[in-house]
Amino acid sequence: MSTDRETVRSYDAVAAEYAAEAATMPEWVATEIDVFVTELGGSGRVLEIGSGGGRDALELEKRGISVRRTDISKGFVELLRGSGFETDLLDPLTDDLADPQRPGTPYDGIWACACLIHVSHEDFGAVLRRLAKATRTGGRLHASVREGDGEDVSTHGSAAAPRHYAETYWRESGLRSELTDAGWIVSKVRQCVGKPHDRWLSVRASRA
């Protein structure tokens, strides 16, 4: 699977709590949304991978973008459905990515903010290729991953209710190579900082 099962269970258990923690959009994500929407011309149909609490999708829709919300965590899917949003349970490595609302029509863009960090190095290229295949030529991609080396498991929460997240880290050269091999043309990779010591590589790319 593209995401470690324990990681998915951790998100399932704390979906509402996590959504509340992530409700405030970081400045660097807001900047990426601005660029993404501009590159799409202010319209289009976008597949969101890892919708989480739904923060980014709401902002994209305010700007005129149609968003297909998806997540690998049942907890997030149920949370969004409970708030009235159509959301699909989806694993980008194994599930059909075709848009049920537009059969046979590729997406105009892919929004994958801070979620591909849970995809292993081994599976990363396959996920990128599947996303590219689902996107029209010239379609846009935003993806953000943690900057660093190797893979790790981070532990959050408490001893009574631990939250384990398998995370994968990337350097810019390796990330660019994976994207290019998967059928994306990289226009920019930004180094961004969230919380202290929380470093991200934010990708802007188009479908080759």
Side-chain angles (χ1 to χ4, degrees), residues 171-190:
R171 295 295 180 184
E172 182 175 343
S173 59
L175 182 60
R176 282 180 175 272
S177 178
E178 289 278 358
L179 286 155
T180 300
D181 289 348
W184 296 98
I185 299 170
V186 180
S187 57
K188 190 175 185 67
V189 177
R190 294 177 65 218

mmCIF file of all heavy atoms in Angstrom, residues 171-190:
data_model
loop_
_atom_site.group_PDB
_atom_site.id
_atom_site.type_symbol
_atom_site.label_atom_id
_atom_site.label_comp_id
_atom_site.label_asym_id
_atom_site.label_seq_id
_atom_site.Cartn_x
_atom_site.Cartn_y
_atom_site.Cartn_z
ATOM 1 N N ARG A 171 15.382 15.057 -0.983
ATOM 2 C CA ARG A 171 16.218 16.186 -1.392
ATOM 3 C C ARG A 171 15.757 16.622 -2.778
ATOM 4 O O ARG A 171 15.188 15.826 -3.536
ATOM 5 C CB ARG A 171 17.697 15.801 -1.422
ATOM 6 C CG ARG A 171 18.272 15.456 -0.051
ATOM 7 C CD ARG A 171 18.278 16.627 0.891
ATOM 8 N NE ARG A 171 18.830 16.270 2.209
ATOM 9 C CZ ARG A 171 18.873 17.112 3.235
ATOM 10 N NH1 ARG A 171 18.386 18.352 3.107
ATOM 11 N NH2 ARG A 171 19.369 16.721 4.391
ATOM 12 N N GLU A 172 16.015 17.873 -3.123
ATOM 13 C CA GLU A 172 15.457 18.420 -4.363
ATOM 14 C C GLU A 172 15.887 17.645 -5.603
ATOM 15 O O GLU A 172 15.066 17.395 -6.490
ATOM 16 C CB GLU A 172 15.848 19.893 -4.510
ATOM 17 C CG GLU A 172 15.266 20.524 -5.758
ATOM 18 C CD GLU A 172 15.535 22.019 -5.863
ATOM 19 O OE1 GLU A 172 15.893 22.640 -4.847
ATOM 20 O OE2 GLU A 172 15.374 22.559 -6.981
ATOM 21 N N SER A 173 17.145 17.259 -5.682
ATOM 22 C CA SER A 173 17.620 16.580 -6.896
ATOM 23 C C SER A 173 16.893 15.262 -7.117
ATOM 24 O O SER A 173 16.452 14.956 -8.232
ATOM 25 C CB SER A 173 19.137 16.343 -6.814
ATOM 26 O OG SER A 173 19.457 15.546 -5.685
ATOM 27 N N GLY A 174 16.745 14.472 -6.064
ATOM 28 C CA GLY A 174 16.042 13.198 -6.189
ATOM 29 C C GLY A 174 14.564 13.374 -6.490
ATOM 30 O O GLY A 174 13.982 12.619 -7.274
ATOM 31 N N LEU A 175 13.972 14.399 -5.887
ATOM 32 C CA LEU A 175 12.554 14.682 -6.115
ATOM 33 C C LEU A 175 12.308 15.085 -7.559
ATOM 34 O O LEU A 175 11.372 14.597 -8.213
ATOM 35 C CB LEU A 175 12.113 15.791 -5.167
ATOM 36 C CG LEU A 175 10.649 16.219 -5.212
ATOM 37 C CD1 LEU A 175 9.726 15.056 -4.890
ATOM 38 C CD2 LEU A 175 10.419 17.374 -4.237
ATOM 39 N N ARG A 176 13.164 15.972 -8.081
ATOM 40 C CA ARG A 176 13.032 16.390 -9.486
ATOM 41 C C ARG A 176 13.169 15.194 -10.431
ATOM 42 O O ARG A 176 12.431 15.074 -11.411
ATOM 43 C CB ARG A 176 14.092 17.438 -9.823
ATOM 44 C CG ARG A 176 13.781 18.837 -9.317
ATOM 45 C CD ARG A 176 14.891 19.809 -9.702
ATOM 46 N NE ARG A 176 14.593 21.181 -9.351
ATOM 47 C CZ ARG A 176 13.941 22.042 -10.124
ATOM 48 N NH1 ARG A 176 13.526 21.652 -11.331
ATOM 49 N NH2 ARG A 176 13.724 23.281 -9.730
ATOM 50 N N SER A 177 14.095 14.311 -10.135
ATOM 51 C CA SER A 177 14.331 13.145 -10.985
ATOM 52 C C SER A 177 13.104 12.235 -11.011
ATOM 53 O O SER A 177 12.678 11.774 -12.084
ATOM 54 C CB SER A 177 15.546 12.374 -10.467
ATOM 55 O OG SER A 177 15.772 11.214 -11.241
ATOM 56 N N GLU A 178 12.505 11.994 -9.848
ATOM 57 C CA GLU A 178 11.308 11.147 -9.773
ATOM 58 C C GLU A 178 10.157 11.761 -10.565
ATOM 59 O O GLU A 178 9.440 11.070 -11.294
ATOM 60 C CB GLU A 178 10.887 10.963 -8.311
ATOM 61 C CG GLU A 178 11.820 10.092 -7.491
ATOM 62 C CD GLU A 178 11.575 8.608 -7.675
ATOM 63 O OE1 GLU A 178 10.650 8.227 -8.416
ATOM 64 O OE2 GLU A 178 12.318 7.819 -7.062
ATOM 65 N N LEU A 179 9.980 13.057 -10.432
ATOM 66 C CA LEU A 179 8.903 13.746 -11.132
ATOM 67 C C LEU A 179 9.090 13.688 -12.649
ATOM 68 O O LEU A 179 8.153 13.397 -13.394
ATOM 69 C CB LEU A 179 8.822 15.199 -10.668
ATOM 70 C CG LEU A 179 8.239 15.408 -9.266
ATOM 71 C CD1 LEU A 179 8.744 16.716 -8.669
ATOM 72 C CD2 LEU A 179 6.710 15.411 -9.322
ATOM 73 N N THR A 180 10.294 13.961 -13.096
ATOM 74 C CA THR A 180 10.579 13.946 -14.528
ATOM 75 C C THR A 180 10.368 12.558 -15.112
ATOM 76 O O THR A 180 9.742 12.399 -16.173
ATOM 77 C CB THR A 180 12.027 14.399 -14.782
ATOM 78 O OG1 THR A 180 12.199 15.734 -14.268
ATOM 79 C CG2 THR A 180 12.341 14.404 -16.269
ATOM 80 N N ASP A 181 10.868 11.543 -14.417
ATOM 81 C CA ASP A 181 10.710 10.156 -14.882
ATOM 82 C C ASP A 181 9.241 9.742 -14.944
ATOM 83 O O ASP A 181 8.872 8.866 -15.733
ATOM 84 C CB ASP A 181 11.463 9.199 -13.962
ATOM 85 C CG ASP A 181 12.978 9.315 -14.092
ATOM 86 O OD1 ASP A 181 13.437 9.968 -15.059
ATOM 87 O OD2 ASP A 181 13.690 8.776 -13.226
ATOM 88 N N ALA A 182 8.407 10.375 -14.108
ATOM 89 C CA ALA A 182 6.991 10.004 -14.032
ATOM 90 C C ALA A 182 6.121 10.760 -15.033
ATOM 91 O O ALA A 182 4.917 10.509 -15.125
ATOM 92 C CB ALA A 182 6.471 10.239 -12.615
ATOM 93 N N GLY A 183 6.720 11.699 -15.794
ATOM 94 C CA GLY A 183 5.948 12.393 -16.821
ATOM 95 C C GLY A 183 5.527 13.805 -16.463
ATOM 96 O O GLY A 183 4.590 14.345 -17.051
ATOM 97 N N TRP A 184 6.251 14.427 -15.516
ATOM 98 C CA TRP A 184 5.966 15.802 -15.123
ATOM 99 C C TRP A 184 7.108 16.728 -15.512
ATOM 100 O O TRP A 184 8.272 16.333 -15.477
ATOM 101 C CB TRP A 184 5.745 15.893 -13.615
ATOM 102 C CG TRP A 184 4.564 15.139 -13.114
ATOM 103 C CD1 TRP A 184 4.560 13.883 -12.555
ATOM 104 C CD2 TRP A 184 3.195 15.561 -13.138
ATOM 105 N NE1 TRP A 184 3.275 13.513 -12.240
ATOM 106 C CE2 TRP A 184 2.420 14.519 -12.582
ATOM 107 C CE3 TRP A 184 2.556 16.733 -13.589
ATOM 108 C CZ2 TRP A 184 1.036 14.606 -12.452
ATOM 109 C CZ3 TRP A 184 1.178 16.811 -13.462
ATOM 110 C CH2 TRP A 184 0.430 15.766 -12.899
ATOM 111 N N ILE A 185 6.784 17.930 -15.890
ATOM 112 C CA ILE A 185 7.789 18.968 -16.171
ATOM 113 C C ILE A 185 7.816 19.898 -14.967
ATOM 114 O O ILE A 185 6.831 20.590 -14.677
ATOM 115 C CB ILE A 185 7.444 19.758 -17.441
ATOM 116 C CG1 ILE A 185 7.401 18.834 -18.655
ATOM 117 C CG2 ILE A 185 8.455 20.879 -17.663
ATOM 118 C CD1 ILE A 185 6.840 19.490 -19.901
ATOM 119 N N VAL A 186 8.916 19.906 -14.255
ATOM 120 C CA VAL A 186 9.017 20.697 -13.034
ATOM 121 C C VAL A 186 9.360 22.142 -13.373
ATOM 122 O O VAL A 186 10.353 22.416 -14.054
ATOM 123 C CB VAL A 186 10.086 20.111 -12.089
ATOM 124 C CG1 VAL A 186 10.193 20.948 -10.817
ATOM 125 C CG2 VAL A 186 9.769 18.658 -11.753
ATOM 126 N N SER A 187 8.528 23.073 -12.909
ATOM 127 C CA SER A 187 8.813 24.486 -13.136
ATOM 128 C C SER A 187 9.493 25.126 -11.933
ATOM 129 O O SER A 187 10.287 26.066 -12.088
ATOM 130 C CB SER A 187 7.531 25.257 -13.473
ATOM 131 O OG SER A 187 6.560 25.101 -12.447
ATOM 132 N N LYS A 188 9.195 24.620 -10.724
ATOM 133 C CA LYS A 188 9.811 25.210 -9.538
ATOM 134 C C LYS A 188 9.704 24.246 -8.361
ATOM 135 O O LYS A 188 8.692 23.560 -8.202
ATOM 136 C CB LYS A 188 9.130 26.536 -9.179
ATOM 137 C CG LYS A 188 9.850 27.362 -8.109
ATOM 138 C CD LYS A 188 9.175 28.716 -7.917
ATOM 139 C CE LYS A 188 9.931 29.608 -6.954
ATOM 140 N NZ LYS A 188 11.237 30.029 -7.476
ATOM 141 N N VAL A 189 10.752 24.216 -7.549
ATOM 142 C CA VAL A 189 10.715 23.542 -6.251
ATOM 143 C C VAL A 189 11.118 24.573 -5.209
ATOM 144 O O VAL A 189 12.240 25.082 -5.235
ATOM 145 C CB VAL A 189 11.663 22.330 -6.192
ATOM 146 C CG1 VAL A 189 11.644 21.716 -4.787
ATOM 147 C CG2 VAL A 189 11.267 21.282 -7.223
ATOM 148 N N ARG A 190 10.197 24.918 -4.337
ATOM 149 C CA ARG A 190 10.457 25.913 -3.291
ATOM 150 C C ARG A 190 10.806 25.221 -1.977
ATOM 151 O O ARG A 190 10.207 24.218 -1.619
ATOM 152 C CB ARG A 190 9.225 26.788 -3.029
ATOM 153 C CG ARG A 190 8.808 27.682 -4.143
ATOM 154 C CD ARG A 190 7.532 28.418 -3.753
ATOM 155 N NE ARG A 190 7.711 29.332 -2.634
ATOM 156 C CZ ARG A 190 6.814 29.540 -1.661
ATOM 157 N NH1 ARG A 190 5.682 28.875 -1.649
ATOM 158 N NH2 ARG A 190 7.052 30.396 -0.697
#
